[in-house]
Every structure is written in C-alpha cells, then in structure tokens.
C-alpha cells in the first residue's frame, strides 16, 4: 500500500533512487523568482497551484499529472496545512539518507518564488535513464511539492520542465472544492473527517481536514479511482498485494479478516486488520471494489482508538457510491 498511503516521502525516495552526478551541468536559478498569476496560467486541479503549461501536455486525473509523454510529465502534491519548514526538514532527511546509500544529487538550490520559500532538487536516475526536478514551495502554514521527470538525455525537455516549475504561483483565494472532481459520494458523518488534499489521484481525508496524512501518525482515509478491474479475482489480488505492501513496510498484523464485498452496485474484496506499527497500535480497513466502469481503492488507517476507528472506517466505506449510481 506504500504507493497509495505514504505519498510524499515514498515518492521522494523513489525519485532519488539511483541518482548520479551530472558534472558541470547545473541549472541557472535566480535567488528571487517573479511569480505572478496571469491569464495564461492554468490551475492544477485540487490545489491552489497555477502553472504556465506548454503545448503538448495533457492532464491525467488518475495520477493528477500533466503528461507530455510517458517519460515526460509533472505532478503536484499539496499539503495545505503543513509548513514549508516541516516539509523541508523531511525532504532533506530523505536526501541525506539516500546519500548514505551511495546516491549523489546534482543540485539543491533554495530561493524565493513570489512570496513563498522554495527549494529545487535536480537529480539523475541513471538506472532508468531519467532526470528529475522536484520543487518544494510554501510558507509557515502551507506547502506543495511539484515533481517532474524526463529522459536523461533530453535537455530540451529538462529546460522546459524547469521553466514550468519556475512559472508556478499560489493563489491563496482558490477555494479548492474537491467535491467537484470526485467521482464518488461518501458519508463522513460517523467521524469528524474532512477532505485534506488531493494527491496522486487520491482524495485524502483527516480529522477536521488538518494535519499531514503522509506522516505515519495522523489518522486518515483515502479514496482512489483506478482503471476497472472487471473480475472480482483481480480485485482480490490487488487487495492482498496492498496489504502485503503494508506488512513489508513494517506493519505487524495481529488480527485480520477478509471478505467478499458487495454494496451500492459495487463488488470487490475487503480487509480489516489490527496490529502494530513501530511498536504502536494500528488498524487498517481497506476495500478494493467497483464495476465494469471503474475500480475504487478505499482505505482507513488509525493509530489510536483503533477499534472504534475500524468500525467507523467500515461504515464510511460502505457509504461510497458512484455519483451516477441510482437504487
């Protein structure tokens, strides 16, 4: 489940793996970037971020990415209640960890982008022959990371991605009504959960919409839509794989129940478990379910009051309907 639940730090780590040096080819980044929203700027859905998007890039809602080719794209991960300094500390700790493993980084530059603090990482992934630019931007109560990637030999695409990242501006007035892009209905009333952000095609919910759903300590829910798995056996296989990913990530399972799922015209596979993570209690409730048109991944994770949350997560999960579903 790593890919879905531990978004920011997992993706930083993946982007830094096998990073090599590209000697003498540093990026020219000014200490102060003028960042003003214009009529040509386009909103990245589910965020306050606006960007000048060159021709040739198309938006993919499933991954919340702007894609030029399978190997050239950029995507944003917004943390609307997490400070820049907090994200910066986590970001740099991951980089240091990668250095200890023998990886090297081309360039890390800190600067101002508009009214916001910014940090840009430039690295090469020699194993996959890709190069990455990652921008961290924010202030004392807001932060975002924008990831971009292109072929290691394609300097034109790299420079284009740099131009895109340096064009980014934050519209504080953007309301971000994520319900407008949800393709599902969910009843959160059993808890105080509210939507926190939209990352990698995942809708993430936390208590009162606050906290960082990627920190491994904040109780959270996620809903992600993927391409349809038309047979329930495929949903079973994916559900079991995601649970195994949790186990491989350090979750010790004490109790686990698995069942077929059928509700609101959607069928699939559900798992409820309690256990331990880093010596502390954890409960996880997950459903992989859908129909011939789409498949949902729903997951709730609690680090305290785990049995009550497990019950509530199950109730909330069973409330999920397609927006076009009719009884």
């Amino acid at each position: 489940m790593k890919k879905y639940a531990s978004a920011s730090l997992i993706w930083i780590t993946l982007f830094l793996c096998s990073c090599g040096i590209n000697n003498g080819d540093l990026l020219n980044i000014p200490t102060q970037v003028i960042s003003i929203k214009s009529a040509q700027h386009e909103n990245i859905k589910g965020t306050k971020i606006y960007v000048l998007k060159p021709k040739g890039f198309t938006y993919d809602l499933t991954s919340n990415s702007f894609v030029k080719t399978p190997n050239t794209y950029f995507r944003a991960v917004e943390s609307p209640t997490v400070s820049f300094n907090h994200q910066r500390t986590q970001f740099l700790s991951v980089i240091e960890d990668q250095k200890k493993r023998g990886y090297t980084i081309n360039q890390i530059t800190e600067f101002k982008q508009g009214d916001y603090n910014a940090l840009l990482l430039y690295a090469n992934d020699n194993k996959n022959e890709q190069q990455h630019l990652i921008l961290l931007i924010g202030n004392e109560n807001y932060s975002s990371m924008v990831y971009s990637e292109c072929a290691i030999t394609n300097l034109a695409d790299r420079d284009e991605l740099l131009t895109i990242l340096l064009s980014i501006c934050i519209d504080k007035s953007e309301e971000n009504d994520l319900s407008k892009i949800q393709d599902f209905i969910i009843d959160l009333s059993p808890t105080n959960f509210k939507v926190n952000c939209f990352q990698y095609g995942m809708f993430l919910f936390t208590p009162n919409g606050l906290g960082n759903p990627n920190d491994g300590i904040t109780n959270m829910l996620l809903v992600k839509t993927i391409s349809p798995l038309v047979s329930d056996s495929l949903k079973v296989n994916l559900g079991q794989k995601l649970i195994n990913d949790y186990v491989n990530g350090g979750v010790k399972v004490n109790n686990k129940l698995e069942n077929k799922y059928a509700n609101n015209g959607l069928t699939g596979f559900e798992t409820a478990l309690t256990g331990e993570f880093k010596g502390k209690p954890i409960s996880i409730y997950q459903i992989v379910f859908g129909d011939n048109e789409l498949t949902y991944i729903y997951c709730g994770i609690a680090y305290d009051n785990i049995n009550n949350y497990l019950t509530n997560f199950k109730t909330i999960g069973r409330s999920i309907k397609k927006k076009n579903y009719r009884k």
Side-chain angles (χ1 to χ4, degrees):
M1 195 69 183
K2 293 179 184 178
K3 187 173 181 182
Y4 299 107
S6 303
S8 294
L9 294 183
I10 290 290
W11 277 96
I12 296 168
T13 303
L14 290 176
F15 269 45
L16 297 181
C17 285
S18 302
C19 288
I21 195 74
N22 187 12
N23 290 321
D25 188 20
L26 298 183
L27 305 175
N28 183 18
I29 302 172
T31 57
Q32 175 70 61
V33 174
I34 305 301
S35 181
I36 301 174
K37 180 180 172 183
S38 70
Q40 288 72 44
H41 275 76
E42 182 171 341
N43 178 240
I44 297 180
K45 290 182 174 62
T47 75
K48 296 179 181 292
I49 302 170
Y50 279 77
V51 62
L52 288 174
K53 179 180 69 69
K55 294 180 180 179
F57 283 80
T58 57
Y59 178 70
D60 175 44
L61 179 61
T62 301
S63 62
N64 199 27
S65 302
F66 284 94
V67 181
K68 184 176 183 181
T69 71
N71 294 321
T72 302
Y73 66 90
F74 65 94
R75 64 165 64 102
V77 175
E78 187 174 67
S79 300
T81 62
V82 182
S83 72
F84 172 86
N85 285 338
H86 180 80
Q87 290 284 55
R88 178 184 179 279
T89 298
Q90 289 191 308
F91 187 85
L92 293 177
S93 70
V94 172
I95 293 173
E96 287 303 313
D97 183 61
Q98 293 302 317
K99 287 180 180 178
K100 292 176 184 177
R101 297 169 184 262
Y103 305 128
T104 53
I105 309 302
N106 294 343
Q107 180 179 351
I108 300 173
T109 302
E110 298 199 51
F111 54 101
K112 294 288 287 187
Q113 187 151 338
D115 296 330
Y116 291 83
N117 296 317
L119 179 153
L120 191 137
L121 169 77
Y122 171 37
N124 284 353
D125 176 358
N126 291 321
K127 180 178 179 180
N128 295 304
E129 299 184 344
Q130 291 287 101
Q131 53 189 332
H132 307 136
L133 299 176
I134 305 176
L135 174 71
L136 170 62
I137 184 170
N139 58 19
E140 65 278 2
N141 53 29
Y142 168 93
S143 61
S144 287
M145 289 185 185
V146 185
Y147 303 87
S148 66
E149 180 173 344
C150 67
I152 202 168
T153 57
N154 195 329
L155 299 185
D157 274 359
R158 181 205 66 182
D159 292 345
E160 184 176 45
L161 289 170
L162 177 62
T163 299
I164 291 169
L165 296 185
L166 297 183
S167 78
I168 282 173
C169 58
I170 312 298
D171 186 346
K172 299 177 184 178
S173 66
E174 186 70 33
E175 297 218 358
N176 292 346
D177 184 358
L178 294 179
S179 65
K180 292 180 180 178
I181 59 173
Q182 284 181 196
D183 55 2
F184 59 91
I185 298 170
I186 185 170
D187 181 4
L188 299 168
S189 61
T191 69
N192 62 344
F193 278 70
K194 296 180 180 179
V195 66
N196 176 280
C197 59
F198 180 62
Q199 300 179 353
Y200 306 110
M202 299 182 297
F203 293 88
L204 298 174
F205 305 83
T206 58
N208 295 310
L210 303 176
N212 182 357
N214 305 310
D215 61 11
I217 59 175
T218 300
N219 299 334
M220 60 162 288
L221 296 169
L222 71 84
V223 182
K224 179 177 176 67
T225 305
I226 63 174
S227 299
L229 301 174
V230 295
S231 73
D232 285 344
S233 62
L234 291 175
K235 297 166 192 166
V236 170
N237 291 341
L238 177 57
Q240 291 175 334
K241 177 187 181 302
L242 295 176
I243 294 299
N244 288 337
D245 284 345
Y246 272 121
V247 173
N248 293 334
V251 173
K252 177 184 176 182
V253 178
N254 295 331
N255 296 288
K256 180 172 68 172
L257 294 175
E258 299 176 323
N259 294 292
K260 292 182 178 180
Y261 176 88
N263 201 39
N264 296 326
L266 307 172
T267 63
F269 178 72
E270 66 178 340
T271 305
L273 68 84
T274 57
E276 297 177 13
F277 179 64
K278 295 183 178 180
K280 297 182 179 180
I282 188 173
S283 64
I284 300 172
Y285 178 76
Q286 174 187 281
I287 321 172
V288 179
F289 62 123
D291 57 17
N292 291 334
E293 297 179 341
L294 53 73
T295 295
Y296 295 119
I297 297 170
Y298 165 80
C299 186
I301 306 173
Y303 302 95
D304 59 66
N305 203 11
I306 61 173
N307 290 318
N308 285 341
Y309 271 114
L310 194 62
T311 299
N312 288 334
F313 289 157
K314 183 173 182 178
T315 301
I316 292 171
R318 290 181 172 273
S319 77
I320 295 176
K321 304 176 184 179
K322 290 171 61 176
K323 274 193 172 176
N324 63 347
Y325 176 74
R326 298 290 183 272
K327 292 184 178 180

